[in-house]
Amino acid sequence: MSLDKLFNPRSIAIVGVSTKKAIFQVGGRAVFDHLRLHDYPGRIDLVTREPVVIDGVESVTDLAMLEHTPDCVLVSVPADDVFPVVEKALGLGCRSFVVITGGFSESGSDGAARQAKLAELVAARGGAMLGPNTTGFVNFAERVAMSSTSRISAALAPIGEIGIVVQSGALGSALLEEAARSGIGLSHLISTGNEAVTTLADCVDYLVDDPATRVIALYVEGFRQPDRMLEAARRAHAAGKPIVVYKTGRSDAGRRAAAGHTGALVGARGSYEAAVRQLGWIDVRSIEDLLPVAHYVAQPGAAARTMGIITVSGGFGGCVADALEETGAISLPTPGPATVERMRNDVPAFLSANNPVDIGGTPFRRPGGFAECLDAFADDPALHAIAVANTPIVPPWGADVAEAVKATHARTGKPVSVIWPSEIFNGEALRDLRAAGTPTFTRVDTFTAAVAGAAALATARDKPSRLLREGRSNSTPSLDVDLETLDEAASKSFLKLAGLPFPAETFVSGMDMAKVREAAGTIGYPVTLKGIARGVVHKSEFGLVAVALPDAEALETRAAAMLESADRNNLEFEGFLVAETVRPQAEVIVGLGLDPEFGPTLTFGAGGIYTEIMQDVATRVLPLDEDEVRGMIESCRISRILQGARGRPLLDVDALVSLVSGVAALAPRLGPDFAGLELNPVGVGLAGEGAWPLDASVFKARCGA
């Protein structure tokens, strides 16, 4: 599928255009008006029910009447008429479509069936189709305003390096407004609509190859093609193009992914945040941050490790410094003696010449005073980037700041950013800075999101994850099924066949105490006894676990108590699991899951009785290498105990890393009906003793689901 003629067509046919001129236009007429308004350089043909002339363009009544094949056909007809229009266009040789008509999958089962039929038609002919139910797109550099959104009726944003893809129509208007207000240049704005054929991943792929795009910004409601999106992310990484993402719809994905403790612990954003980290994306938590952060990381040198803050207000400078420090992404070194000496003529002794440097208003009292202070700061080799933190200042001083910032950046090449919450009082200076392309912020949290995002991007480039290096060979299965939980005995049997080691144990079905005693004698006391009841995952809640039973008498006593508990709680008792007793010094939880958006995931955290209490968990998207597994373990608080905190002995972390890596390696070969597993607890012994799965639950798709 080539998207060149879709997003940069030299000729366009619009099918379905109103002849009425109105203040508020929709559909094909709006697209026609926007193309004309913004000087689309190609040919526009109109297809209407009756022959008319609209703004000097004579229409035809059938696509077949055109003397040429258009590069792209925009369809704005009733939903029932879309299929025959597209079918005819395909027959004429057209392979690119923008369908702005609604009434497809977003409207219910009938619409979904209509969309599936349309998608099959276009895909079978190797076509590309944006939509249906899309507002279209804008290619800024080529002046292709092929969008129905009303914001396009005003001036467009500046031409620039940021390509935006949104799974929304109206939100694109808001982002366009923000870009125009902030002077942030755009290469493309694409609304994907229902993604029946051309998807979010396809659009990202296109922008990766687009020479006009330097940074890709995404508004995402759901990743519908995880494997394709992964490959697009890898291509963006290889091309050096950052991806900045605002992700909504957080709670639904979390609920669908939940199976057992691990699914609940991962929650709504666990897998997404893992993917962001591993793919080198920049996650923003506020939609207002999407474009400013993308604009910041587009500048060369944005991923600075050190920064100097120069401020007219010690208080505001302290706010910026505190926020930067909380990110843990950047340090604020003290400026060198030469830097302080150069500034001393303009910075009174009672003001701070540290970092942040509080210059107050003194430098503005002589021409070039602020510029000399800024130059001194920028020339300090310990500072990789500079931030100017201003509160409202008198407009002449504001003009000095704007000129100095532009000149210092031009002279040194160092990134210089401005945090200046004075949109009204110093609006002229802010407009001047934005016009020059200076990253300009009015909120501290947006600035720190940009700085932290750039640092995370640099980390991913310096040490790419296995997911980025190798991708993932196995496809992501669907989770639109009901799940069933295998009991512990069946789960362990399944995992043993897959090659996972467990302590010695025997399952005795039913209530045959003679066989239970025989199994205990073979394994050797002390033994651990577990009662297995259908559907019960957390056995300790029903008194179905007894550890380190010393002899046959204790064994029979606890077995009787388990049977009594099962009867009292109306449990369907299936048998006893008799196991070797090991002596763990700590307990952890390890889980494999299938996230509906990112596929196989690995979860690790504090286990046993502390699973829900501590909520100490880390999640990663598979595959992983052993270094990543070790880093995952070290990111959890339980790792302090594993490493021998407060004089405690060192535990067998190497054995744990090996076990967790082995669990991760199981994911590609556990069968098409596999939906997850949970080992809880996994016992960890002293250094050299090992790590052992002590309990297991396997989740599988129900037969016939």
Side-chain angles (χ1 to χ4, degrees):
M1 180 196 304
S2 172
L3 301 187
D4 291 335
K5 288 188 176 181
L6 174 62
F7 292 126
N8 190 19
R10 300 306 180 190
S11 59
I12 298 168
I14 303 177
V15 183
V17 185
S18 171
T19 59
K20 297 179 181 178
K21 188 72 174 177
I23 295 175
F24 175 71
Q25 288 289 6
V26 295
R29 178 58 187 266
V31 175
F32 174 67
D33 288 347
H34 297 155
L35 288 168
R36 296 292 291 268
L37 175 65
H38 298 295
D39 300 320
Y40 170 64
R43 173 170 176 159
I44 305 175
D45 289 293
L46 304 179
V47 181
T48 56
R49 292 186 182 275
E50 302 293 336
V52 294
V53 177
I54 303 176
D55 287 352
V57 178
E58 187 175 345
S59 76
V60 298
T61 58
D62 194 298
L63 276 169
M65 298 172 64
L66 298 177
E67 297 178 355
H68 71 291
T69 300
D71 282 351
C72 185
V73 174
L74 182 131
V75 184
S76 178
V77 297
D80 287 335
D81 297 333
V82 170
F83 187 93
V85 168
V86 172
E87 186 176 39
K88 176 169 287 188
L90 287 166
L92 295 172
C94 183
R95 292 294 181 268
S96 297
F97 302 89
V98 176
V99 181
I100 62 178
T101 305
F104 288 86
S105 64
E106 82 283 2
S107 64
S109 58
D110 289 345
R114 188 182 297 122
Q115 178 170 307
K117 181 182 176 183
L118 178 63
E120 183 180 3
L121 172 70
V122 176
R125 303 292 289 272
M129 182 177 73
L130 201 62
N133 190 36
T134 175
T135 56
F137 70 91
V138 182
N139 180 335
F140 291 86
E142 301 298 331
R143 304 195 306 280
V144 188
M146 201 164 170
S147 172
S148 63
T149 182
S150 59
R151 179 58 182 78
I152 309 298
S153 63
L156 295 178
I159 298 171
E161 301 175 316
I162 300 173
I164 307 174
V165 187
V166 296
Q167 290 181 325
S168 169
L171 184 68
S173 295
L175 293 173
L176 183 56
E177 177 75 12
E178 168 64 17
R181 183 188 69 82
S182 299
I184 296 175
L186 304 179
S187 64
H188 293 77
L189 172 62
I190 303 169
S191 167
T192 62
N194 291 0
E195 300 185 23
V197 177
T198 299
T199 65
L200 176 73
D202 294 319
C203 295
V204 171
D205 253 341
Y206 173 79
L207 294 177
V208 169
D209 293 331
D210 175 44
T213 301
R214 182 181 176 89
V215 178
I216 300 167
L218 307 178
Y219 166 81
V220 179
E221 294 173 355
F223 294 100
R224 298 165 183 164
Q225 292 181 312
D227 297 322
R228 284 276 296 108
M229 194 65 209
L230 170 57
E231 286 308 306
R234 295 182 67 221
R235 294 186 69 245
H237 172 79
K241 295 191 177 184
I243 295 180
V244 184
V245 186
Y246 176 82
K247 174 72 164 63
T248 188
R250 302 168 186 175
S251 58
D252 287 343
R255 283 193 292 268
R256 288 180 64 201
H261 284 88
T262 49
L265 287 172
V266 170
R269 287 179 63 89
S271 298
Y272 168 69
E273 290 174 349
V276 164
R277 181 188 302 108
Q278 292 170 250
L279 295 175
W281 293 348
I282 299 171
D283 176 46
V284 296
R285 297 301 184 98
S286 169
I287 189 62
E288 291 84 1
D289 292 346
L290 183 63
L291 286 187
V293 171
H295 181 51
Y296 179 86
V297 300
Q299 63 175 331
R305 299 298 188 183
T306 66
M307 182 171 287
I309 303 173
I310 186 168
T311 181
V312 298
S313 163
F316 188 55
C319 293
V320 175
D322 287 346
L324 284 175
E325 184 174 290
E326 287 176 2
T327 70
I330 200 162
S331 61
L332 304 175
T334 301
T339 303
V340 175
E341 184 62 28
R342 285 177 61 182
M343 291 189 296
R344 188 48 73 192
N345 288 335
D346 293 294
V347 180
F350 65 84
L351 292 177
S352 168
N354 293 313
N355 190 6
V357 58
D358 180 6
I359 61 171
T362 305
F364 297 101
R365 294 173 183 171
R366 70 176 184 89
F370 175 80
E372 290 189 21
C373 288
L374 184 60
D375 277 344
F377 225 43
D379 287 340
D380 194 314
L383 304 175
H384 300 156
I386 306 299
V388 178
N390 280 348
T391 50
I393 55 179
V394 294
W397 292 6
D400 287 349
V401 169
E403 289 303 315
V405 166
K406 292 185 293 182
T408 297
H409 174 65
R411 181 181 66 82
T412 66
K414 280 188 177 179
V416 182
S417 304
V418 175
I419 310 100
W420 202 346
S422 187
E423 194 73 61
I424 297 174
F425 193 59
N426 295 119
E428 186 174 348
L430 286 168
R431 285 190 293 273
D432 188 8
L433 288 166
R434 287 166 176 158
T438 302
T440 305
F441 303 87
T442 56
R443 290 170 39 198
V444 174
D445 56 350
T446 303
F447 170 67
T448 54
V451 172
L457 177 66
T459 299
R461 287 176 174 170
D462 292 343
K463 191 176 181 181
S465 67
R466 183 179 173 189
L467 196 62
L468 271 179
R469 296 194 313 269
E470 302 176 13
R472 186 167 57 209
S473 58
N474 57 305
S475 62
T476 301
S478 170
L479 270 189
D480 291 327
V481 296
D482 292 330
L483 302 182
E484 65 175 343
T485 304
L486 304 187
D487 63 39
E488 181 179 353
S491 294
K492 287 181 173 178
S493 176
F494 174 81
L495 294 173
K496 286 175 184 176
L497 289 173
L500 202 65
F502 288 87
E505 59 186 18
T506 300
F507 176 66
V508 178
S509 62
M511 307 174 191
D512 190 333
M513 286 307 302
K515 289 185 177 180
V516 171
R517 289 192 300 272
E518 180 182 350
T522 301
I523 291 171
Y525 290 99
V527 295
T528 293
L529 182 68
K530 299 179 181 181
I532 306 299
R534 183 176 297 277
V536 175
V537 176
H538 310 307
K539 293 178 283 296
S540 58
E541 296 178 5
F542 295 95
L544 300 181
V545 179
V547 178
L549 299 175
D551 50 38
E553 182 179 354
L555 179 73
E556 293 189 11
T557 299
R558 292 307 300 270
M562 291 179 188
L563 291 172
E564 192 276 331
S565 174
D567 184 61
R568 184 174 62 255
N569 290 286
N570 296 315
L571 303 180
E572 187 178 342
F573 196 80
E574 296 182 333
F576 292 100
L577 193 66
V578 186
E580 170 189 6
T581 296
V582 294
R583 305 287 185 181
Q585 302 297 309
E587 293 182 340
V588 299
I589 183 171
V590 181
L592 283 182
L594 288 176
D595 183 79
E597 293 182 321
F598 294 102
T601 59
L602 178 73
T603 302
F604 172 87
I609 63 172
Y610 299 111
T611 300
E612 285 91 358
I613 296 173
M614 293 181 65
Q615 297 284 302
D616 178 28
V617 67
T619 298
R620 299 290 186 270
V621 177
L622 296 175
L624 298 171
D625 59 33
E626 281 206 358
D627 285 344
E628 290 175 294
V629 170
R630 190 177 296 273
M632 179 184 184
I633 293 171
E634 291 173 353
S635 72
C636 293
R637 298 189 301 276
I638 189 69
S639 68
R640 301 173 198 168
I641 295 174
L642 302 175
Q643 297 290 349
R646 294 185 175 271
R648 294 184 56 168
L650 179 68
L651 304 190
D652 204 336
V653 176
D654 289 343
L656 180 60
V657 169
S658 179
L659 174 65
V660 176
S661 298
V663 172
L666 292 177
R669 52 189 183 88
L670 289 176
D673 61 344
F674 174 75
L677 70 85
E678 182 178 284
L679 306 178
N680 186 29
V682 172
V684 186
L686 296 172
E689 289 184 347
W692 320 276
L694 303 180
D695 200 347
S697 297
V698 170
F699 307 100
K700 305 189 80 172
R702 292 186 186 277
C703 296

